[in-house]
Amino acid sequence: MALLRLDKILSLSGERTRSEAGKLIRAGLVSVDGVCVSDPSYKADTAQNAVTFQGQRISELPFQYVMLNKPAGVLTAARDRRAPTVMGLLPGRMLTRGVMPVGRLDKDTTGLLLLTSDGTLAHRLLSPKNHVWKEYRATVDGLLSPAHMAAFAQGIPLSDFTAMPAELDIVSASAEESLAVVRLREGKNRQVRRMFIALGLNVTALHRQAFGPLRLDIPPGEYRTLSSLEIEALYAAARMDGDGGHG
């Protein structure tokens, strides 16, 4: 891997511009092999040198990996003339690197949305045969019972396909409203809602709190780039060899 300027290395993640990276370097927040470097033009090789920002190692990222906490009312789409989209929640410098959502969340569904420019990883994460689990918190009208748990475990027939066996854990239940955690390996259009509807239950709120090894840890509407360990965990979940090109 070629030598790169420090300000270039810090800007590759898309979290900051080159000029912003330069200010952080001049402020003494970047070290190379344990030694503070305040010159933005200093060159390093992330494959050979330990480049750290505020003590955390960074690497050259040929791909972008982003976690977003999607709020309600926002479309999972690249663009839309009438409604805001998840892409509008990201800075332009990330969009220029080609990040796209991995799967979709319905307009009214909130929570963890993964975006990446790594198309191969995205495809593998969405393939049911790789058994990458998604976890949702669902609020439904009516009383959930062990019979509903058994139905989820067996696989629920829908109009165009039969949903794969999934997990339903009841958190609380009453005649008026129930709260549950749903884990499934698929993610087809409105699937969780359709599974409940097939059992005669209406979902009033749906929130994705985990995607494979990732668990949501940021406020609604905010985003962050993934750490090297999180990227490695995604590659393991997708049953892919190699390090995903993240340095």
Side-chain angles (χ1 to χ4, degrees):
M1 195 174 293
L3 290 170
L4 294 176
R5 287 173 53 113
L6 279 185
D7 53 3
K8 174 67 173 178
I9 292 174
L10 257 69
S11 67
L12 280 171
S13 70
E15 290 183 280
R16 57 191 69 87
T17 64
R18 285 279 290 272
S19 61
E20 290 170 342
K23 292 178 181 178
L24 296 172
I25 294 166
R26 285 189 288 271
L29 301 178
V30 177
S31 295
V32 179
D33 295 329
V35 178
C36 178
V37 177
S38 58
D39 180 3
S41 67
Y42 184 91
K43 292 185 178 181
D45 181 345
T46 55
Q48 303 294 330
N49 306 118
V51 181
T52 60
F53 169 59
Q54 292 185 315
Q56 182 176 2
R57 186 162 182 168
I58 62 174
S59 59
E60 182 180 357
L61 294 171
F63 295 116
Q64 184 76 49
Y65 306 86
V66 182
M67 175 193 294
L68 171 72
N69 188 344
K70 177 190 169 302
V74 178
L75 297 180
T76 306
R79 62 185 64 85
D80 189 271
R81 293 181 180 179
R82 293 168 292 182
T85 73
V86 294
M87 309 306 280
L89 299 173
L90 301 178
R93 55 185 178 273
M94 281 189 177
L95 304 184
T96 59
R97 298 195 63 199
V99 297
M100 293 297 291
V102 180
R104 289 176 174 269
L105 291 179
D106 299 333
K107 182 178 180 180
D108 296 325
T109 299
T110 62
L112 199 164
L113 184 66
L114 174 65
L115 300 98
T116 184
S117 54
D118 188 340
T120 302
L121 175 64
H123 175 76
R124 293 291 294 269
L125 288 172
L126 294 175
S127 174
K129 68 181 181 180
N130 288 321
H131 307 295
V132 179
W133 292 88
K134 294 88 176 174
E135 181 178 297
Y136 298 80
R137 186 175 69 246
T139 304
V140 302
D141 287 331
L143 180 66
L144 283 174
S145 70
H148 296 118
M149 297 172 63
F152 268 73
Q154 183 176 352
I156 298 175
L158 302 175
S159 60
D160 50 345
F161 72 101
T162 297
M164 295 175 64
E167 299 177 0
L168 174 66
D169 293 331
I170 300 173
V171 178
S172 62
S174 71
E176 293 76 26
E177 183 178 87
S178 299
L179 177 64
V181 172
V182 178
R183 300 180 187 88
L184 73 165
R185 290 171 284 176
E186 297 173 294
K188 297 183 180 180
N189 186 36
R190 299 182 64 83
Q191 181 171 339
V192 176
R193 296 178 187 274
R194 293 178 63 195
M195 291 167 73
F196 278 110
I197 290 173
L199 300 178
L201 297 163
N202 179 55
V203 176
T204 58
L206 189 63
H207 178 80
R208 184 157 70 186
Q209 54 194 21
F211 186 116
L214 303 180
R215 294 200 71 86
L216 191 63
D217 60 2
I218 51 178
E222 295 195 10
Y223 70 91
R224 68 171 177 83
T225 56
L226 301 186
S227 68
S228 294
L229 289 178
E230 288 173 323
I231 298 169
E232 289 170 4
L234 283 176
Y235 265 74
R239 303 183 182 186
M240 294 175 66
D241 294 327
D243 63 1
H246 52 275

